[in-house]
Amino acid sequence: MKNQPSGHTGRHFLQIPGPTNVPDRVLHAIAFPTIDHRGPEFADVGKEIVAGMRRVFQTDGTVVVYPSSGTGAWEAALVNTLSPGDRVLMFETGHFATLWRQMATRLGLDIEFVPGDWRHGVDPAQVAEKLTISSLASIDYRHDEWGVDVTVAGSQKGLMLPPGLGFNAVSDKALAASKNAKLTRSYWDWAAMQETGQTGFFPYTPATNLLFGLREALKMLLEEEGLDAVFVRHARHAEATRRAVTGWGLEVLCAEPREHSNSLTAVLVPDGYDADRVREIILDGFDMSLGTGLGKMKGKIFRIGHLGHFNDLMLCGTLCGVEMGLHRAGIPHRGGGVAAALEYLGAA
Amino acid sequence: MKNQPSGHTGRHFLQIPGPTNVPDRVLHAIAFPTIDHRGPEFADVGKEIVAGMRRVFQTDGTVVVYPSSGTGAWEAALVNTLSPGDRVLMFETGHFATLWRQMATRLGLDIEFVPGDWRHGVDPAQVAEKLTISSLASIDYRHDEWGVDVTVAGSQKGLMLPPGLGFNAVSDKALAASKNAKLTRSYWDWAAMQETGQTGFFPYTPATNLLFGLREALKMLLEEEGLDAVFVRHARHAEATRRAVTGWGLEVLCAEPREHSNSLTAVLVPDGYDADRVREIILDGFDMSLGTGLGKMKGKIFRIGHLGHFNDLMLCGTLCGVEMGLHRAGIPHRGGGVAAALEYLGAA
Amino acid sequence: MKNQPSGHTGRHFLQIPGPTNVPDRVLHAIAFPTIDHRGPEFADVGKEIVAGMRRVFQTDGTVVVYPSSGTGAWEAALVNTLSPGDRVLMFETGHFATLWRQMATRLGLDIEFVPGDWRHGVDPAQVAEKLTISSLASIDYRHDEWGVDVTVAGSQKGLMLPPGLGFNAVSDKALAASKNAKLTRSYWDWAAMQETGQTGFFPYTPATNLLFGLREALKMLLEEEGLDAVFVRHARHAEATRRAVTGWGLEVLCAEPREHSNSLTAVLVPDGYDADRVREIILDGFDMSLGTGLGKMKGKIFRIGHLGHFNDLMLCGTLCGVEMGLHRAGIPHRGGGVAAALEYLGAA
Amino acid sequence: MKNQPSGHTGRHFLQIPGPTNVPDRVLHAIAFPTIDHRGPEFADVGKEIVAGMRRVFQTDGTVVVYPSSGTGAWEAALVNTLSPGDRVLMFETGHFATLWRQMATRLGLDIEFVPGDWRHGVDPAQVAEKLTISSLASIDYRHDEWGVDVTVAGSQKGLMLPPGLGFNAVSDKALAASKNAKLTRSYWDWAAMQETGQTGFFPYTPATNLLFGLREALKMLLEEEGLDAVFVRHARHAEATRRAVTGWGLEVLCAEPREHSNSLTAVLVPDGYDADRVREIILDGFDMSLGTGLGKMKGKIFRIGHLGHFNDLMLCGTLCGVEMGLHRAGIPHRGGGVAAALEYLGAA
């Protein structure tokens, strides 16, 4: 009988940097009947979620939850803290920094953009606002201890939810400053949102069912696995992935080991090869989605998401898919990537 | 054995004007595994949704879908069409008009607010923008034929979804005007959003799983029941509800028969009685949520939602709950409301 | 606009005596991924279920759970206790007694069948084995205290599950007797099944996912609502239903008040009218399923199930549907049935 | 940061020979509200299922569907075709043959059991009844063309369902013979069951919600992937698995290549090592369930299920888990099993 690819049966491998694989329990929670967002049962949901998100952000400050994408939460961070014409220094560290620059310009801010090579991060000491879109609930992130003013996050990464919720963690200092910020705002206004932690209610209709899912995801992260174990797991999977990349003789995009991401790994393909063709072959042949290179990295890298609801064997399947895809796409590489990862993961 | 209330078993009756009862099929669709919103499978979802929403709005124009509440879609309508200092004439027809005024003020517009008594609508000929938050997919709404510039809608009403999606239907004229509108905008910017109908993709991460639900809901509304039948059903349930109110010897808030809503009925309680106490008794005793009176109507009315995924026997259960609640709350009324509704609904 | 029936939108009313309306929580539990029925996680499920079912049966004896319909559990009761040619006295109390007679005959037993009129029960003192297929978890049933040898039950009634699980509660005396019973048996053999309570495992593959649902249903019945409240609720709904029947001027099939069922009510239609035509009109016009008359009662009665996951407003919707259906079918009746039920249920 | 095992997050790998990984779509279908199994909507389900199962069995004969485990379907095959004291020749090919012998003995049959070594199959020409519990819908099985009298199957293998449904495919000859078979039977009686294909109804309450799932699974197998592609996929995964076993320097239990199973692979561990300890280490460390050795093979083999809803990367994850488990358990082996499988699967 002929040896053929398997087609699309079994589970899809969703290994983009987000959305991530959503646990069945969270999907089931989202599918519960919608309730009255002004009623007593909902108030408990609202309060529980804000309390849980404070633990995830490691903050005693204000947490705001929007029915929005993560992009909306970025916009909220800007419009609540800045005034028209404010001068903003931005460091080019990747595609999202570029997008944020567009957003800031549209909102009437005066941007000074410091170009970078996208392969090195920025000295954290220089940056007042830190983006954590991808990493929240995947790495040890300490909003208060690190003195962060505003943290921005979306639901579809480490929080293991579908997209549709945006978050701001806001320091008291930032909250005070927002009273003098003059950018117009209504939907994103922290003033209207900041009571949810006390009352459990929102100033306008929240995304009720996604909040059901968030409650379940927080239970899994905080009460069952525990955040510390979550962080260890992500570090472990990131290390195994980097060993696989090295095993293939390829390069990880991020050049500084101390800046390596524990939630995703961007893999450079050799000059003259198309990373998106690799992704296409892997999607068609092995039903796995990988992340494309964004902006000027398009075609030069593919990104492997290894965050969220994930485990060793899912990672192994992922890396096997990449190794076979490199082979099918004719990318020059060595075959030992999976073996290197197995050696690391299989150690007792 | 003692006759006691039944406690909270069986299905909750969610009879607020929104969110409405979400069909199991839609909840199941929402619970499907999240997919890559940049991949080919998603593009089909995006295109199908925009095409379906055009049919619901009855427009050949642009339909924009936001990951947001309906409030976000309101804000989008304003920031895409107006410039700072623009003078806006607003008619006070109810609580949401008041909220919209707040929003417009926050956004830097100059509002002239024409007070009303909340019991009469506004002459449609005078109004350039029309809100349909509650009624879309419940009544015959014709964006193009009626020459509407921007229509605003949320997912959690007639569309039978949980909250979390906001919609604008935009005429070509409004789209052209938006190029000169000077209110700052980024997340809400139509320019970035208007390609979805062609490409199926969104400028930032959409609320993937709610879109799965929308696709299923559109299938039910457009292909299975059919919009005409949906409208007939809502008119029929509204009529039965008003007959019940009359049967109880109570008054419907909206004084003009031609302005009656087919999606919700606001019931005035006699002076000296508290409508919210009626709601509380009904929630505690019969596990049914009714809508509160908003703004200056608080305590004077309760609102019965009879829209979305609904049928005759669900309406009968709803009206029975109201009739028993009026009795338990000691509201002066006659007992014949349910009987009047049954006479109407039971006619062959 | 024309007044038309509502077609099939909204929730179906499943008011047959079983299967009953399954709670969303139970349906979600059933939809969890199947696990290894020989693994440690499953053992906890098995033990928890047997312990919970003991509380439902009110027995310290053996509880056996089959992957089968309730009919299978009947057969199990027979083949474990009887030998070929055994003489069995059976009382004709309804259609299921007739079915059981067929089964016993097929299994080689010698049946003496005492005819009855189907409108009176049998003196419990005369009956060694008692069927409770419909009523378990709806009425106060005491296997040990009443000295019952074998109780038979199915999942799709008061236990609020889909069909697919059959149960026997077995007294020690019956278990001992089974060692001498000579009817051949393998699948139904108690000897192989009786260890589940201790080990959590089954001699052959159990219906894993239905057991997940049973665990959730037991949690709702035993821990949340509480069996006593469950029994009060069923008694209350049965009384309201009978008052409605009397209000319509119709008769309940069961002639003896002390034998009234709290889980279903069989309604006699007047001579010359077809009860199945009433059911058909109600199904077509109001999307509600009622139970047919079985055996010689076919066409003479329809049965209203008011058991399982149910509440006051669901019952009200049910009774309104019957009242409108009687009207549409032209059955001579008075219109006051719903009013009588509301008066009873609405009392504080 | 310490390198630790990942604990139990992400998806469990259920790689026993059954139950298998159930597709989300099937789980969702099972979670739909239960309907009246005597109503018109159900009749369509019943007829569609029997028609689909005929295609899976490749028969124009009778297909019977029981609410039971596969064991029940075995018993049905015996009690419908045999009479007390009938002499039955059975070939010992594995643990299930032993179980069937027990069953046959309990049912009063006279068994002649031909011992085997469990590593060789039986010449098909000698066998009148063929068991296909594991393989149906995984391999090309032709009930009619091969002249099989009775085929037995369960839902939880290639059909991709949870356990709880049992099947018989019955030739006309066997159906005719059943009229003279004298073993007592009622629940299992083909006579009562054989009309389902025409009427869509069952003689007693079917496992409604599992049938919803079966309908969805049949749609996936017959209409979407197509049975031919399903068979190719299983052959391919079986071949990759055997290459991995060979790569590890271990032996597949089944010694005859032409008898290799395409749905599961039994791996012999070297003498002096405990296969169940390997399974335990893999379950604890990598959250994967493998099948134990049954009967006299206990501790000597572990079994890898690679059937049902499965794809290349799930298989890769599975084989990686085995390779790491062999390492952790200290089983003497070579490390090249995964590499051998990747070479095979990765070939274009």
Side-chain angles (χ1 to χ4, degrees):
Chain A
M1 200 172 273
K2 191 163 158 293
N3 175 1
Q4 294 186 347
S6 69
H8 293 338
T9 180
R11 288 190 74 82
H12 179 69
F13 275 63
L14 183 68
Q15 303 314 136
I16 56 178
T20 60
N21 297 288
V22 179
D24 291 312
R25 283 172 57 182
V26 171
L27 290 171
H28 281 252
I30 289 171
F32 266 86
T34 307
I35 61 173
D36 180 3
H37 57 287
R38 305 283 183 207
E41 186 182 349
F42 185 83
D44 292 339
V45 177
K47 283 185 275 191
E48 196 178 326
I49 280 165
V50 171
M53 286 305 298
R54 280 203 180 106
R55 292 175 60 190
V56 171
F57 282 115
Q58 302 191 38
T59 184
D60 294 328
T62 300
V63 170
V64 173
V65 186
Y66 297 105
S68 77
S69 74
T71 302
W74 289 12
E75 181 161 325
L78 293 182
V79 297
N80 278 287
T81 53
L82 298 169
S83 299
D86 271 6
R87 188 140 169 259
V88 180
L89 197 66
M90 285 191 171
F91 298 87
E92 186 190 22
T93 53
H95 180 66
F96 283 107
T98 308
L99 290 182
W100 202 6
R101 180 195 197 182
Q102 288 178 359
M103 180 191 294
T105 304
R106 282 183 192 150
L107 295 173
L109 301 170
D110 181 9
I111 309 299
E112 182 164 340
F113 202 62
V114 184
D117 67 358
W118 293 30
R119 298 197 60 189
H120 294 78
V122 166
D123 182 344
Q126 296 183 276
V127 185
E129 292 185 3
K130 198 179 170 74
L131 293 186
T132 63
I133 288 282
S134 286
S135 300
L136 190 74
S138 305
I139 61 153
D140 187 9
Y141 183 82
R142 306 179 185 192
H143 183 270
D144 285 4
E145 188 178 325
W146 296 350
V148 182
D149 288 326
V150 187
T151 306
V152 174
S155 53
Q156 75 272 29
K157 314 278 181 164
L159 291 172
M160 314 190 302
L161 286 168
L165 296 177
F167 305 89
N168 281 174
V170 183
S171 72
D172 290 348
K173 188 180 129 201
L175 199 61
S178 73
K179 294 185 176 31
N180 300 315
K182 296 282 184 286
L183 282 179
T184 57
R185 57 187 181 270
S186 179
Y187 191 82
W188 308 116
D189 196 8
W190 288 341
M193 276 287 189
Q194 71 192 77
E195 302 302 323
T196 306
Q198 280 75 53
T199 63
F201 294 114
F202 289 83
Y204 44 77
T205 314
T208 321
N209 289 48
L210 294 176
L211 296 177
F212 294 164
L214 178 56
R215 182 169 53 170
E216 189 73 14
L218 288 169
K219 192 177 163 200
M220 295 170 77
L221 291 169
L222 298 172
E223 296 173 33
E224 298 178 14
E225 190 174 7
L227 279 186
D228 286 346
V230 170
F231 302 150
V232 169
R233 168 166 59 84
H234 281 82
R236 170 178 158 81
H237 289 162
E239 177 64 23
T241 303
R242 288 188 294 260
R243 291 188 182 211
V245 175
T246 304
W248 293 319
L250 299 177
E251 262 188 277
V252 171
L253 176 65
C254 180
E256 294 293 326
R258 74 173 171 84
E259 294 162 0
H260 279 147
S261 165
N262 280 345
S263 51
L264 68 97
T265 299
V267 182
L268 279 159
V269 297
D271 280 348
Y273 293 91
D274 180 0
D276 284 336
R277 179 73 188 130
V278 179
R279 293 173 56 246
E280 191 176 79
I281 282 169
I282 289 172
L283 180 60
D284 288 350
F286 301 109
D287 200 21
M288 175 161 66
S289 297
L290 296 173
T292 188
L294 299 175
K296 66 188 184 190
M297 287 299 153
K298 182 138 190 71
K300 298 187 177 165
I301 61 165
F302 59 86
R303 295 178 301 146
I304 304 170
H306 37 71
L307 75 164
H309 188 63
F310 205 57
N311 61 28
D312 284 10
L313 299 194
M314 292 167 84
L315 176 62
C316 290
T318 298
L319 297 175
C320 288
V322 173
E323 186 162 314
M324 293 190 291
L326 292 170
H327 172 72
R328 287 197 185 175
I331 305 292
H333 73 290
R334 298 195 301 266
V338 167
L342 291 185
E343 188 182 351
Y344 176 75
L345 295 170
Chain B
M1 199 173 273
K2 192 161 158 293
N3 175 2
Q4 293 186 348
S6 68
H8 292 340
T9 179
R11 285 190 76 81
H12 180 69
F13 275 64
L14 183 68
Q15 302 315 136
I16 57 178
T20 60
N21 298 288
V22 180
D24 290 311
R25 283 171 58 181
V26 171
L27 291 170
H28 281 250
I30 290 171
F32 266 86
T34 306
I35 61 173
D36 180 3
H37 57 286
R38 305 280 183 211
E41 186 182 348
F42 184 83
D44 292 338
V45 178
K47 283 184 274 191
E48 196 178 325
I49 281 165
V50 171
M53 286 305 298
R54 280 203 180 108
R55 291 176 59 191
V56 171
F57 282 115
Q58 302 190 39
T59 184
D60 294 328
T62 300
V63 169
V64 173
V65 186
Y66 297 106
S68 77
S69 74
T71 302
W74 288 13
E75 183 161 324
L78 294 182
V79 297
N80 279 288
T81 53
L82 297 169
S83 299
D86 271 7
R87 187 139 169 260
V88 180
L89 196 67
M90 284 192 173
F91 297 87
E92 184 190 23
T93 53
H95 180 65
F96 282 109
T98 308
L99 290 183
W100 203 6
R101 182 195 196 183
Q102 286 178 2
M103 178 190 293
T105 304
R106 283 184 192 152
L107 296 173
L109 301 170
D110 181 9
I111 308 299
E112 182 166 339
F113 201 63
V114 185
D117 66 358
W118 293 28
R119 299 195 59 188
H120 295 78
V122 164
D123 181 345
Q126 294 183 277
V127 186
E129 291 186 4
K130 198 182 171 71
L131 294 187
T132 63
I133 288 280
S134 288
S135 300
L136 191 74
S138 306
I139 60 153
D140 187 10
Y141 184 83
R142 305 178 184 193
H143 184 270
D144 285 3
E145 185 179 326
W146 297 350
V148 182
D149 288 326
V150 187
T151 305
V152 174
S155 53
Q156 74 271 27
K157 314 276 181 167
L159 290 172
M160 315 190 301
L161 286 169
L165 296 177
F167 304 89
N168 281 174
V170 183
S171 71
D172 289 348
K173 189 180 128 202
L175 199 61
S178 74
K179 295 184 176 32
N180 300 314
K182 295 282 185 287
L183 282 180
T184 58
R185 59 186 180 270
S186 179
Y187 191 81
W188 309 118
D189 196 9
W190 288 340
M193 277 288 188
Q194 72 193 75
E195 301 303 324
T196 306
Q198 279 74 54
T199 64
F201 294 114
F202 289 84
Y204 44 79
T205 315
T208 321
N209 289 48
L210 293 176
L211 296 178
F212 294 164
L214 177 57
R215 182 170 53 171
E216 188 73 12
L218 288 169
K219 192 176 163 200
M220 294 170 78
L221 291 169
L222 298 172
E223 296 173 33
E224 298 177 15
E225 190 174 6
L227 279 186
D228 286 345
V230 170
F231 302 152
V232 169
R233 168 166 60 85
H234 281 83
R236 169 178 157 82
H237 289 163
E239 176 65 23
T241 303
R242 288 188 293 262
R243 289 186 183 213
V245 176
T246 303
W248 292 320
L250 299 177
E251 264 188 276
V252 170
L253 177 65
C254 180
E256 294 292 327
R258 74 176 171 82
E259 294 161 1
H260 279 148
S261 164
N262 280 345
S263 52
L264 69 97
T265 299
V267 182
L268 279 159
V269 297
D271 280 349
Y273 292 90
D274 180 0
D276 283 337
R277 178 72 189 132
V278 178
R279 292 173 56 247
E280 192 177 77
I281 282 169
I282 288 172
L283 181 59
D284 289 350
F286 301 108
D287 201 21
M288 173 162 67
S289 297
L290 296 173
T292 189
L294 299 175
K296 66 186 185 192
M297 286 300 153
K298 183 139 187 70
K300 297 187 177 165
I301 60 164
F302 59 86
R303 294 178 303 145
I304 304 169
H306 37 71
L307 75 166
H309 189 61
F310 205 57
N311 62 27
D312 283 10
L313 300 194
M314 292 168 85
L315 176 61
C316 289
T318 299
L319 297 176
C320 289
V322 173
E323 185 161 314
M324 293 190 291
L326 292 170
H327 172 71
R328 287 195 184 178
I331 304 294
H333 73 290
R334 297 195 301 265
V338 167
L342 291 185
E343 189 182 350
Y344 175 74
L345 295 170
Chain C
M1 199 173 269
K2 191 161 159 291
N3 176 0
Q4 293 186 349
S6 70
H8 293 339
T9 180
R11 285 190 77 82
H12 180 68
F13 276 62
L14 184 67
Q15 303 313 137
I16 57 178
T20 60
N21 298 287
V22 179
D24 290 311
R25 285 171 56 182
V26 171
L27 290 171
H28 281 251
I30 289 171
F32 266 87
T34 306
I35 61 173
D36 180 2
H37 57 285
R38 305 281 183 209
E41 186 182 348
F42 185 83
D44 292 338
V45 177
K47 283 185 274 191
E48 196 178 325
I49 280 165
V50 170
M53 286 305 298
R54 281 203 180 107
R55 291 176 60 191
V56 171
F57 282 116
Q58 301 189 40
T59 183
D60 294 327
T62 299
V63 169
V64 173
V65 186
Y66 296 105
S68 77
S69 74
T71 303
W74 288 12
E75 182 161 325
L78 294 181
V79 296
N80 278 288
T81 54
L82 298 169
S83 298
D86 271 5
R87 188 142 168 257
V88 180
L89 197 64
M90 285 191 172
F91 298 86
E92 185 191 22
T93 53
H95 180 66
F96 283 107
T98 308
L99 290 183
W100 202 7
R101 182 194 195 181
Q102 287 178 0
M103 178 191 295
T105 304
R106 284 183 191 151
L107 295 173
L109 300 169
D110 181 8
I111 309 300
E112 181 165 339
F113 202 61
V114 183
D117 66 359
W118 293 30
R119 298 197 58 189
H120 295 78
V122 165
D123 181 347
Q126 296 183 279
V127 184
E129 291 185 4
K130 196 179 171 74
L131 294 187
T132 63
I133 288 281
S134 286
S135 301
L136 191 73
S138 307
I139 61 153
D140 187 11
Y141 184 83
R142 306 179 184 193
H143 184 269
D144 285 5
E145 187 179 325
W146 297 349
V148 182
D149 288 326
V150 187
T151 305
V152 173
S155 53
Q156 74 272 27
K157 315 275 182 165
L159 291 171
M160 315 189 301
L161 286 168
L165 296 177
F167 304 90
N168 281 174
V170 183
S171 71
D172 289 348
K173 190 180 128 200
L175 199 60
S178 74
K179 295 183 175 32
N180 300 315
K182 295 281 185 291
L183 283 179
T184 57
R185 58 187 181 270
S186 178
Y187 190 81
W188 308 117
D189 196 7
W190 289 340
M193 277 285 188
Q194 71 192 77
E195 301 303 323
T196 305
Q198 279 76 53
T199 63
F201 294 115
F202 289 82
Y204 45 78
T205 314
T208 320
N209 288 47
L210 294 176
L211 295 178
F212 294 164
L214 177 56
R215 183 170 52 170
E216 188 73 14
L218 287 170
K219 193 177 162 200
M220 295 171 77
L221 291 168
L222 298 172
E223 295 173 33
E224 297 177 15
E225 189 174 7
L227 279 185
D228 286 345
V230 170
F231 302 152
V232 169
R233 168 166 60 86
H234 281 82
R236 170 177 157 81
H237 288 162
E239 176 64 24
T241 304
R242 288 188 294 260
R243 289 187 183 211
V245 175
T246 304
W248 293 319
L250 299 178
E251 264 188 277
V252 171
L253 176 66
C254 180
E256 294 292 326
R258 75 175 172 82
E259 294 161 1
H260 279 149
S261 164
N262 280 344
S263 52
L264 69 96
T265 299
V267 182
L268 279 161
V269 297
D271 280 349
Y273 292 90
D274 179 2
D276 283 338
R277 178 73 188 132
V278 178
R279 292 173 57 246
E280 190 177 77
I281 282 169
I282 289 172
L283 180 59
D284 289 350
F286 301 108
D287 201 22
M288 175 162 67
S289 296
L290 296 172
T292 189
L294 300 174
K296 67 185 182 191
M297 287 298 152
K298 185 142 187 65
K300 298 187 176 165
I301 61 164
F302 59 87
R303 294 177 303 145
I304 305 170
H306 37 71
L307 75 164
H309 188 61
F310 205 56
N311 62 26
D312 284 9
L313 300 194
M314 292 168 83
L315 175 61
C316 290
T318 299
L319 297 176
C320 288
V322 172
E323 187 162 313
M324 293 190 291
L326 291 170
H327 172 71
R328 288 196 185 175
I331 305 293
H333 73 290
R334 296 194 303 264
V338 168
L342 290 185
E343 188 182 351
Y344 175 75
L345 295 170
Chain D
M1 200 172 271
K2 191 162 158 294
N3 175 359
Q4 293 185 348
S6 69
H8 293 339
T9 180
R11 287 190 75 81
H12 180 70
F13 276 62
L14 183 68
Q15 304 312 137
I16 56 178
T20 60
N21 298 288
V22 179
D24 291 310
R25 283 171 59 180
V26 171
L27 290 171
H28 281 251
I30 289 171
F32 266 86
T34 307
I35 61 173
D36 180 3
H37 57 285
R38 304 282 183 208
E41 187 181 349
F42 185 83
D44 291 339
V45 177
K47 283 184 275 191
E48 197 178 326
I49 281 165
V50 170
M53 287 304 299
R54 279 204 181 106
R55 291 175 59 191
V56 172
F57 282 115
Q58 302 189 41
T59 182
D60 294 327
T62 299
V63 170
V64 173
V65 186
Y66 297 105
S68 77
S69 74
T71 303
W74 288 14
E75 183 161 324
L78 293 182
V79 297
N80 278 288
T81 53
L82 297 168
S83 299
D86 271 6
R87 189 139 169 258
V88 180
L89 197 65
M90 286 190 171
F91 298 86
E92 185 190 22
T93 54
H95 181 65
F96 284 107
T98 308
L99 291 183
W100 202 8
R101 182 196 195 181
Q102 287 178 1
M103 179 191 293
T105 304
R106 283 185 191 148
L107 295 174
L109 302 169
D110 182 9
I111 309 300
E112 182 164 340
F113 202 63
V114 184
D117 66 359
W118 292 29
R119 298 196 59 188
H120 296 76
V122 165
D123 182 346
Q126 295 185 278
V127 184
E129 291 185 5
K130 197 180 173 70
L131 292 188
T132 63
I133 287 281
S134 288
S135 302
L136 191 73
S138 307
I139 60 153
D140 186 11
Y141 185 83
R142 307 179 184 193
H143 184 270
D144 285 5
E145 185 178 327
W146 296 350
V148 183
D149 288 326
V150 187
T151 305
V152 173
S155 52
Q156 75 271 29
K157 314 276 182 169
L159 290 172
M160 314 190 300
L161 286 169
L165 296 177
F167 304 89
N168 281 173
V170 183
S171 71
D172 289 348
K173 187 179 130 201
L175 198 62
S178 73
K179 295 187 175 31
N180 300 316
K182 294 282 185 287
L183 282 179
T184 57
R185 59 187 179 268
S186 178
Y187 191 82
W188 308 118
D189 196 8
W190 289 340
M193 278 287 189
Q194 71 191 78
E195 301 303 323
T196 305
Q198 280 75 53
T199 65
F201 294 114
F202 289 84
Y204 44 79
T205 314
T208 320
N209 288 48
L210 293 176
L211 296 178
F212 294 164
L214 177 56
R215 183 171 50 171
E216 189 73 14
L218 288 170
K219 192 176 163 200
M220 294 169 77
L221 290 168
L222 298 173
E223 295 174 34
E224 298 177 16
E225 191 173 5
L227 280 185
D228 286 345
V230 169
F231 303 151
V232 170
R233 168 166 59 85
H234 280 83
R236 170 176 157 82
H237 289 163
E239 177 64 24
T241 303
R242 288 187 294 261
R243 289 185 183 213
V245 175
T246 303
W248 293 319
L250 299 178
E251 263 188 277
V252 170
L253 177 65
C254 181
E256 294 291 328
R258 74 172 172 82
E259 293 161 2
H260 279 148
S261 166
N262 280 345
S263 52
L264 69 98
T265 299
V267 182
L268 278 160
V269 298
D271 279 349
Y273 291 90
D274 180 1
D276 283 336
R277 178 74 188 131
V278 178
R279 291 174 57 247
E280 191 175 77
I281 282 169
I282 288 172
L283 179 60
D284 289 350
F286 301 108
D287 201 22
M288 174 161 67
S289 297
L290 295 173
T292 189
L294 298 174
K296 67 187 184 190
M297 284 300 152
K298 183 140 191 69
K300 298 187 177 164
I301 61 164
F302 59 87
R303 295 177 301 145
I304 304 169
H306 36 71
L307 75 164
H309 188 62
F310 205 57
N311 62 28
D312 284 9
L313 300 193
M314 293 169 82
L315 175 63
C316 289
T318 299
L319 297 175
C320 288
V322 172
E323 186 162 314
M324 294 190 290
L326 291 170
H327 172 72
R328 287 197 184 175
I331 304 294
H333 73 291
R334 298 194 302 264
V338 167
L342 292 185
E343 189 183 350
Y344 176 74
L345 295 170

